[in-house]
Amino acid sequence: MNTTSLIESVRNRFPDAVSSSHTYRDDATVILRRDFLLEVARFLKADPALQMNFLTDITAVDYSAFGKRPTPAFFASSGVAVSPSSEIPDESPWPGPPGESRFAVVYHFFSLVHKHRLRLVIPVDEAVAEVDSLTSLWSGANWLEREVWDMFGIRFRGHPNLKRILMYEGFEGHPLRKDYPVKKRQPLIGPVN
Amino acid sequence: MSDTSFFTSKLEEAIGWARKYSIFQYPFVTACCGMEYMATACSHYDVDRFGAGLPRFSPRQADVLFVVGTISHKMAPVLKRVYEQMADPKWVVAFGVCTCTGGFYDNYATVMGIDTIIPVDVYIPGCPPRPEMVLDGLIKLQYKIQHQRTTGERVPSEPRPEIFER
Protein backbone atom coordinates (compact mmCIF):
# COMPACT_ATOMS: atom_id res chain seq x y z
CA MET A 1 0.00 0.00 0.00
CA ASN A 2 1.40 3.42 -0.84
CA THR A 3 1.58 6.33 1.57
CA THR A 4 -1.54 8.09 0.33
CA SER A 5 -3.78 5.06 0.64
CA LEU A 6 -2.28 4.21 4.04
CA ILE A 7 -3.29 7.61 5.33
CA GLU A 8 -6.67 7.41 3.63
CA SER A 9 -7.49 4.03 5.13
CA VAL A 10 -6.86 5.34 8.64
CA ARG A 11 -8.69 8.57 7.96
CA ASN A 12 -11.74 6.82 6.51
CA ARG A 13 -11.98 4.39 9.38
CA PHE A 14 -11.44 7.00 12.12
CA PRO A 15 -12.55 10.38 10.78
CA ASP A 16 -12.70 11.86 14.30
CA ALA A 17 -9.30 10.57 15.40
CA VAL A 18 -7.05 12.02 12.72
CA SER A 19 -6.29 15.68 13.23
CA SER A 20 -3.87 15.94 10.31
CA SER A 21 -1.53 13.91 8.17
CA HIS A 22 1.34 14.35 5.80
CA THR A 23 3.88 12.53 3.71
CA TYR A 24 7.49 13.53 4.14
CA ARG A 25 10.32 11.88 2.19
CA ASP A 26 8.00 8.98 1.28
CA ASP A 27 7.00 8.23 4.83
CA ALA A 28 3.37 8.55 5.82
CA THR A 29 2.55 10.29 9.09
CA VAL A 30 -0.82 10.44 10.80
CA ILE A 31 -1.33 12.84 13.68
CA LEU A 32 -3.88 11.42 16.08
CA ARG A 33 -5.89 12.64 19.00
CA ARG A 34 -4.73 11.09 22.21
CA ASP A 35 -7.83 9.09 23.15
CA PHE A 36 -7.96 7.13 19.91
CA LEU A 37 -4.49 5.61 20.03
CA LEU A 38 -5.43 2.14 21.24
CA GLU A 39 -8.32 1.77 18.78
CA VAL A 40 -6.25 2.91 15.83
CA ALA A 41 -3.33 0.69 16.80
CA ARG A 42 -5.60 -2.32 17.10
CA PHE A 43 -7.02 -1.54 13.66
CA LEU A 44 -3.54 -1.15 12.15
CA LYS A 45 -2.51 -4.52 13.49
CA ALA A 46 -5.66 -6.46 12.67
CA ASP A 47 -6.79 -5.04 9.34
CA PRO A 48 -5.87 -7.51 6.57
CA ALA A 49 -4.92 -4.74 4.18
CA LEU A 50 -2.57 -3.12 6.72
CA GLN A 51 -1.24 -5.86 9.02
CA MET A 52 1.20 -3.67 10.89
CA ASN A 53 2.58 -6.58 12.86
CA PHE A 54 5.92 -5.00 13.73
CA LEU A 55 6.24 -2.09 16.13
CA THR A 56 9.56 -0.62 15.07
CA ASP A 57 9.96 2.11 17.63
CA ILE A 58 8.30 4.34 20.16
CA THR A 59 9.88 7.64 20.99
CA ALA A 60 8.91 11.15 21.95
CA VAL A 61 9.84 14.72 21.14
CA ASP A 62 9.94 17.70 23.47
CA TYR A 63 9.00 20.76 21.42
CA SER A 64 9.17 23.21 24.32
CA ALA A 65 12.39 24.80 23.08
CA PHE A 66 11.65 24.30 19.39
CA GLY A 67 12.18 27.45 17.37
CA LYS A 68 12.72 29.53 20.53
CA ARG A 69 16.38 30.24 19.90
CA PRO A 70 18.53 30.14 16.80
CA THR A 71 20.33 26.86 16.33
CA PRO A 72 24.08 27.39 16.21
CA ALA A 73 25.40 25.90 13.02
CA PHE A 74 27.58 23.05 14.12
CA PHE A 75 30.21 23.30 11.42
CA ALA A 76 29.51 26.89 10.46
CA SER A 77 33.12 27.98 10.82
CA SER A 78 34.34 25.14 8.64
CA GLY A 79 32.29 26.23 5.67
CA VAL A 80 30.45 22.91 5.52
CA ALA A 81 26.79 23.39 4.65
CA VAL A 82 24.58 22.52 7.60
CA SER A 83 21.21 22.90 5.95
CA PRO A 84 20.01 22.29 2.41
CA SER A 85 20.99 25.11 0.12
CA SER A 86 18.22 27.61 -0.47
CA GLU A 87 19.08 27.46 -4.16
CA ILE A 88 17.84 23.88 -4.28
CA PRO A 89 14.05 23.91 -3.92
CA ASP A 90 12.66 21.46 -1.38
CA GLU A 91 9.74 19.77 -3.08
CA SER A 92 8.13 18.64 0.17
CA PRO A 93 9.41 20.67 3.12
CA TRP A 94 9.14 19.28 6.62
CA PRO A 95 5.69 20.28 7.93
CA GLY A 96 6.94 21.17 11.39
CA PRO A 97 5.73 20.27 14.88
CA PRO A 98 2.35 18.57 15.14
CA GLY A 99 0.67 21.29 17.15
CA GLU A 100 0.86 23.50 20.21
CA SER A 101 1.38 20.65 22.67
CA ARG A 102 4.70 20.37 24.43
CA PHE A 103 5.34 16.70 23.71
CA ALA A 104 4.65 14.37 20.82
CA VAL A 105 4.79 10.61 21.23
CA VAL A 106 5.86 8.98 17.99
CA TYR A 107 5.10 5.41 16.95
CA HIS A 108 6.67 3.69 13.97
CA PHE A 109 4.88 0.70 12.53
CA PHE A 110 6.00 -1.69 9.85
CA SER A 111 4.19 -4.52 8.12
CA LEU A 112 6.39 -7.52 7.52
CA VAL A 113 3.67 -8.85 5.20
CA HIS A 114 3.05 -5.83 3.01
CA LYS A 115 6.39 -4.05 3.55
CA HIS A 116 4.85 -0.68 4.29
CA ARG A 117 5.41 1.75 7.11
CA LEU A 118 3.29 4.22 9.00
CA ARG A 119 4.14 6.78 11.65
CA LEU A 120 1.63 7.81 14.31
CA VAL A 121 2.18 11.05 16.18
CA ILE A 122 0.21 11.82 19.35
CA PRO A 123 0.54 15.39 20.63
CA VAL A 124 0.56 15.35 24.44
CA ASP A 125 0.26 18.28 26.79
CA GLU A 126 2.56 18.56 29.77
CA ALA A 127 -0.30 18.65 32.28
CA VAL A 128 -1.75 15.38 31.03
CA ALA A 129 1.41 13.61 29.89
CA GLU A 130 -0.19 10.20 29.61
CA VAL A 131 -1.16 7.95 26.70
CA ASP A 132 -2.46 4.42 26.44
CA SER A 133 0.00 1.58 26.58
CA LEU A 134 0.36 -0.68 23.56
CA THR A 135 1.76 -3.60 25.55
CA SER A 136 -1.52 -5.49 25.12
CA LEU A 137 -0.98 -5.51 21.35
CA TRP A 138 2.81 -5.66 20.96
CA SER A 139 4.78 -7.03 23.91
CA GLY A 140 7.80 -5.23 22.51
CA ALA A 141 6.16 -1.96 23.48
CA ASN A 142 7.00 -2.74 27.09
CA TRP A 143 10.63 -1.60 27.11
CA LEU A 144 10.10 1.10 24.50
CA GLU A 145 7.44 2.73 26.67
CA ARG A 146 9.64 2.41 29.72
CA GLU A 147 12.36 4.25 27.82
CA VAL A 148 9.98 7.06 26.88
CA TRP A 149 8.85 7.29 30.50
CA ASP A 150 12.46 7.36 31.67
CA MET A 151 13.70 9.96 29.22
CA PHE A 152 10.61 12.18 28.82
CA GLY A 153 8.37 11.46 31.80
CA ILE A 154 5.35 10.52 29.71
CA ARG A 155 3.19 7.93 31.45
CA PHE A 156 1.59 4.96 29.73
CA ARG A 157 -1.82 3.94 31.03
CA GLY A 158 -2.08 0.19 31.51
CA HIS A 159 1.63 -0.56 31.34
CA PRO A 160 2.42 -3.60 33.53
CA ASN A 161 5.76 -2.36 34.86
CA LEU A 162 6.30 1.32 34.22
CA LYS A 163 9.67 2.07 35.81
CA ARG A 164 12.98 3.44 34.62
CA ILE A 165 14.94 1.34 32.17
CA LEU A 166 18.06 3.32 31.22
CA MET A 167 18.62 5.47 34.27
CA TYR A 168 18.83 4.08 37.78
CA GLU A 169 16.34 4.12 40.61
CA GLY A 170 16.72 7.36 42.49
CA PHE A 171 17.55 9.41 39.42
CA GLU A 172 15.53 12.60 39.55
CA GLY A 173 13.94 14.12 36.49
CA HIS A 174 13.81 13.05 32.90
CA PRO A 175 17.02 13.90 31.08
CA LEU A 176 15.74 14.35 27.53
CA ARG A 177 13.25 16.98 28.59
CA LYS A 178 14.46 20.33 27.38
CA ASP A 179 14.14 21.83 30.85
CA TYR A 180 16.48 19.24 32.38
CA PRO A 181 19.62 21.26 33.22
CA VAL A 182 22.42 20.37 30.83
CA LYS A 183 24.99 20.48 33.62
CA LYS A 184 22.99 18.54 36.21
CA ARG A 185 24.81 15.42 37.44
CA GLN A 186 23.43 12.70 39.71
CA PRO A 187 26.17 10.11 40.16
CA LEU A 188 25.54 7.02 42.25
CA ILE A 189 29.10 7.00 43.57
CA GLY A 190 32.02 9.33 43.14
CA PRO A 191 32.11 13.11 42.95
CA VAL A 192 29.54 15.26 41.18
CA ASN A 193 31.45 16.52 38.17
CA MET B 1 65.91 1.31 46.30
CA SER B 2 69.13 2.36 47.98
CA ASP B 3 67.68 1.95 51.47
CA THR B 4 66.94 -1.73 50.95
CA SER B 5 69.33 -4.58 51.50
CA PHE B 6 70.86 -6.62 48.75
CA PHE B 7 68.55 -9.55 49.47
CA THR B 8 65.35 -7.47 49.50
CA SER B 9 66.16 -5.61 46.32
CA LYS B 10 67.04 -8.80 44.49
CA LEU B 11 63.84 -10.41 45.73
CA GLU B 12 61.77 -7.43 44.61
CA GLU B 13 63.45 -7.57 41.25
CA ALA B 14 62.64 -11.24 40.85
CA ILE B 15 59.04 -10.83 41.96
CA GLY B 16 58.59 -7.84 39.65
CA TRP B 17 60.09 -9.76 36.77
CA ALA B 18 57.75 -12.68 37.35
CA ARG B 19 54.68 -10.50 37.75
CA LYS B 20 55.22 -8.30 34.73
CA TYR B 21 55.44 -11.25 32.35
CA SER B 22 52.39 -13.06 33.70
CA ILE B 23 49.70 -10.41 33.56
CA PHE B 24 46.28 -11.90 33.95
CA GLN B 25 43.92 -9.20 32.79
CA TYR B 26 40.28 -8.69 33.48
CA PRO B 27 38.77 -6.98 30.41
CA PHE B 28 35.92 -4.74 31.60
CA VAL B 29 34.69 -4.06 28.08
CA THR B 30 31.66 -1.80 27.74
CA ALA B 31 31.92 -0.04 24.40
CA CYS B 32 33.51 0.34 20.99
CA CYS B 33 37.07 0.34 22.38
CA GLY B 34 36.52 -3.37 22.84
CA MET B 35 37.11 -3.84 19.11
CA GLU B 36 40.56 -2.32 19.42
CA TYR B 37 41.20 -4.38 22.52
CA MET B 38 40.34 -7.51 20.54
CA ALA B 39 42.59 -6.41 17.70
CA THR B 40 45.42 -6.01 20.19
CA ALA B 41 44.74 -9.36 21.76
CA CYS B 42 44.63 -11.25 18.46
CA SER B 43 47.54 -12.69 16.58
CA HIS B 44 48.46 -9.69 14.45
CA TYR B 45 49.54 -7.58 17.40
CA ASP B 46 49.74 -10.54 19.75
CA VAL B 47 49.53 -9.29 23.29
CA ASP B 48 50.83 -12.68 24.40
CA ARG B 49 54.33 -11.51 23.48
CA PHE B 50 54.16 -9.46 26.67
CA GLY B 51 52.81 -12.26 28.79
CA ALA B 52 49.31 -10.80 28.89
CA GLY B 53 47.62 -13.28 26.63
CA LEU B 54 45.26 -14.97 29.05
CA PRO B 55 42.29 -12.86 30.10
CA ARG B 56 40.54 -14.09 33.24
CA PHE B 57 36.82 -13.52 33.44
CA SER B 58 36.76 -13.56 37.19
CA PRO B 59 38.18 -10.52 38.99
CA ARG B 60 39.49 -12.78 41.76
CA GLN B 61 41.93 -14.39 39.35
CA ALA B 62 43.04 -11.19 37.65
CA ASP B 63 45.98 -8.85 38.21
CA VAL B 64 45.17 -6.01 35.86
CA LEU B 65 41.78 -4.43 35.34
CA PHE B 66 41.45 -3.22 31.76
CA VAL B 67 38.59 -0.72 31.72
CA VAL B 68 37.74 -0.59 28.03
CA GLY B 69 35.00 1.83 27.04
CA THR B 70 32.64 4.43 28.43
CA ILE B 71 31.56 4.01 32.03
CA SER B 72 28.13 5.36 32.86
CA HIS B 73 26.97 6.40 36.30
CA LYS B 74 24.76 3.33 36.37
CA MET B 75 27.79 1.11 35.70
CA ALA B 76 30.09 2.89 38.17
CA PRO B 77 29.15 0.86 41.29
CA VAL B 78 29.69 -2.35 39.32
CA LEU B 79 33.15 -1.23 38.23
CA LYS B 80 34.09 -0.30 41.78
CA ARG B 81 32.87 -3.65 43.03
CA VAL B 82 34.86 -5.53 40.41
CA TYR B 83 37.94 -3.55 41.40
CA GLU B 84 37.40 -4.33 45.06
CA GLN B 85 36.98 -8.03 44.32
CA MET B 86 40.44 -8.25 42.78
CA ALA B 87 43.18 -9.56 45.00
CA ASP B 88 46.31 -7.49 45.64
CA PRO B 89 48.61 -6.78 43.92
CA LYS B 90 46.39 -5.21 41.31
CA TRP B 91 46.68 -2.58 38.64
CA VAL B 92 44.19 -0.62 36.56
CA VAL B 93 44.54 0.46 32.95
CA ALA B 94 42.19 3.14 31.60
CA PHE B 95 41.76 2.15 27.98
CA GLY B 96 40.45 4.87 25.67
CA VAL B 97 39.70 8.52 26.23
CA CYS B 98 36.25 7.89 27.76
CA THR B 99 37.78 6.06 30.69
CA CYS B 100 40.58 8.64 31.00
CA THR B 101 38.47 11.80 31.08
CA GLY B 102 34.97 11.07 29.89
CA GLY B 103 36.04 11.82 26.33
CA PHE B 104 33.55 13.71 24.24
CA TYR B 105 30.77 12.87 26.65
CA ASP B 106 29.78 15.58 29.08
CA ASN B 107 26.25 14.66 30.03
CA TYR B 108 23.94 13.27 32.66
CA ALA B 109 24.97 9.67 32.05
CA THR B 110 28.73 9.44 31.82
CA VAL B 111 31.46 9.20 34.46
CA MET B 112 34.06 11.86 33.71
CA GLY B 113 37.07 9.56 33.98
CA ILE B 114 37.23 6.36 36.00
CA ASP B 115 39.92 7.86 38.24
CA THR B 116 37.06 9.60 40.03
CA ILE B 117 36.04 6.14 41.26
CA ILE B 118 39.08 3.86 41.33
CA PRO B 119 42.84 4.46 41.18
CA VAL B 120 44.38 4.21 37.71
CA ASP B 121 47.96 3.19 36.89
CA VAL B 122 48.17 3.69 33.15
CA TYR B 123 46.09 5.93 30.91
CA ILE B 124 45.85 5.01 27.24
CA PRO B 125 44.04 7.85 25.44
CA GLY B 126 42.68 7.65 21.93
CA CYS B 127 39.26 7.20 20.47
CA PRO B 128 39.90 4.33 20.20
CA PRO B 129 43.66 3.94 20.82
CA ARG B 130 45.67 2.19 18.17
CA PRO B 131 46.96 -1.27 19.14
CA GLU B 132 50.47 0.19 19.15
CA MET B 133 49.38 2.64 21.84
CA VAL B 134 47.88 -0.20 23.84
CA LEU B 135 51.09 -2.17 23.65
CA ASP B 136 53.03 0.94 24.63
CA GLY B 137 50.73 1.36 27.61
CA LEU B 138 51.24 -2.27 28.49
CA ILE B 139 55.02 -1.85 28.41
CA LYS B 140 54.67 1.20 30.67
CA LEU B 141 52.56 -0.88 33.01
CA GLN B 142 55.23 -3.57 32.99
CA TYR B 143 57.73 -0.92 34.04
CA LYS B 144 55.52 0.02 36.97
CA ILE B 145 55.04 -3.61 37.94
CA GLN B 146 58.77 -4.30 37.73
CA HIS B 147 59.63 -1.38 39.99
CA GLN B 148 56.87 -1.86 42.51
CA ARG B 149 58.18 -2.44 46.02
CA THR B 150 57.08 -5.38 48.14
CA THR B 151 55.50 -2.79 50.42
CA GLY B 152 53.12 -1.92 47.60
CA GLU B 153 54.79 1.43 46.92
CA ARG B 154 54.68 2.30 43.24
CA VAL B 155 56.88 4.33 40.95
CA PRO B 156 55.06 7.13 39.14
CA SER B 157 55.90 6.00 35.64
CA GLU B 158 58.67 5.21 33.26
CA PRO B 159 61.04 8.17 32.82
CA ARG B 160 60.81 9.87 29.47
CA PRO B 161 63.39 8.77 26.94
CA GLU B 162 66.35 11.12 26.73
CA ILE B 163 65.51 12.08 23.18
CA PHE B 164 62.58 14.16 24.53
CA GLU B 165 64.65 15.96 27.17
CA ARG B 166 66.31 18.79 25.32
Side-chain angles (χ1 to χ4, degrees):
Chain A
M1 205 182 274
N2 63 26
T3 53
T4 325
S5 46
L6 271 173
I7 292 172
E8 280 312 305
S9 58
V10 178
R11 199 186 269 282
N12 293 338
R13 181 77 165 70
F14 301 97
D16 298 335
V18 179
S19 55
S20 66
S21 63
H22 61 256
T23 302
Y24 177 62
R25 305 271 152 97
D26 285 334
D27 272 335
T29 302
V30 171
I31 293 155
L32 278 187
R33 288 184 227 291
R34 195 163 63 107
D35 303 333
F36 293 89
L37 169 65
L38 206 53
E39 281 177 62
V40 174
R42 195 174 287 126
F43 166 71
L44 289 178
K45 192 182 181 188
D47 189 80
L50 294 167
Q51 287 193 55
M52 298 287 189
N53 52 359
F54 183 47
L55 175 62
T56 315
D57 193 22
I58 302 176
T59 186
V61 188
D62 182 354
Y63 284 109
S64 60
F66 184 82
K68 298 278 170 59
R69 52 176 179 250
T71 313
F74 192 54
F75 290 121
S77 58
S78 69
V80 177
V82 290
S83 59
S85 166
S86 56
E87 293 166 14
I88 306 168
D90 197 349
E91 298 297 336
S92 61
W94 183 59
E100 296 300 311
S101 299
R102 175 173 176 183
F103 298 108
V105 186
V106 186
Y107 296 83
H108 291 106
F109 296 104
F110 180 61
S111 169
L112 292 164
V113 184
H114 300 301
K115 317 291 183 202
H116 53 212
R117 294 172 196 280
L118 183 66
R119 182 188 297 124
L120 293 187
V121 176
I122 321 278
V124 176
D125 284 316
E126 189 180 1
V128 281
E130 187 171 61
V131 292
D132 284 320
S133 171
L134 293 190
T135 44
S136 55
L137 294 167
W138 292 272
S139 350
N142 190 321
W143 282 18
L144 296 169
E145 288 174 353
R146 281 175 66 185
E147 185 188 344
V148 172
W149 155 247
D150 193 356
M151 293 288 120
F152 291 94
I154 296 167
R155 301 195 143 271
F156 289 86
R157 202 182 299 122
H159 191 285
N161 182 28
L162 193 64
K163 60 178 189 183
R164 291 187 181 277
I165 188 169
L166 294 174
M167 305 314 292
Y168 28 90
E169 291 300 319
F171 188 88
E172 284 173 16
H174 302 281
L176 290 195
R177 283 190 172 197
K178 292 296 177 191
D179 54 6
Y180 185 88
V182 176
K183 293 288 175 193
K184 190 175 177 186
R185 300 287 181 268
Q186 304 179 45
L188 284 172
I189 58 170
V192 179
N193 52 10
Chain B
M1 264 186 217
S2 55
D3 56 331
T4 51
S5 70
F6 172 80
F7 177 75
T8 323
S9 62
K10 283 294 162 195
L11 182 66
E12 276 177 351
E13 213 172 282
I15 290 175
W17 175 85
R19 279 176 180 166
K20 76 171 179 179
Y21 288 128
S22 64
I23 295 173
F24 289 86
Q25 11 150 355
Y26 180 90
F28 194 92
V29 180
T30 57
C32 36
C33 271
M35 291 296 139
E36 219 64 17
Y37 170 80
M38 290 173 215
T40 316
C42 287
S43 53
H44 191 84
Y45 289 95
D46 194 11
V47 82
D48 207 12
R49 288 181 294 163
F50 305 91
L54 277 178
R56 311 308 301 172
F57 295 104
S58 161
R60 299 188 195 282
Q61 299 170 353
D63 305 313
V64 176
L65 177 61
F66 264 75
V67 186
V68 185
T70 322
I71 299 298
S72 62
H73 285 309
K74 197 176 180 178
M75 184 65 92
V78 181
L79 176 65
K80 190 173 170 63
R81 192 184 178 114
V82 165
Y83 174 76
E84 284 166 352
Q85 281 176 335
M86 289 169 67
D88 271 322
K90 56 188 172 185
W91 298 271
V92 178
V93 174
F95 186 118
V97 77
C98 291
T99 54
C100 295
T101 65
F104 56 69
Y105 296 107
D106 185 4
N107 58 23
Y108 59 92
T110 309
V111 175
M112 305 304 282
I114 59 164
D115 53 3
T116 59
I117 304 167
I118 56 175
V120 176
D121 288 288
V122 174
Y123 297 86
I124 306 173
C127 185
R130 291 277 311 165
E132 291 88 343
M133 294 172 71
V134 181
L135 296 179
D136 185 45
L138 193 66
I139 293 166
K140 286 185 163 55
L141 178 70
Q142 284 182 329
Y143 181 91
K144 288 191 83 166
I145 295 174
Q146 170 73 69
H147 292 84
Q148 180 163 333
R149 308 282 296 273
T150 41
T151 54
E153 191 189 327
R154 294 176 189 203
V155 292
S157 66
E158 193 177 12
R160 279 151 65 88
E162 270 179 32
I163 188 167
F164 295 116
E165 306 295 341
R166 298 196 208 207

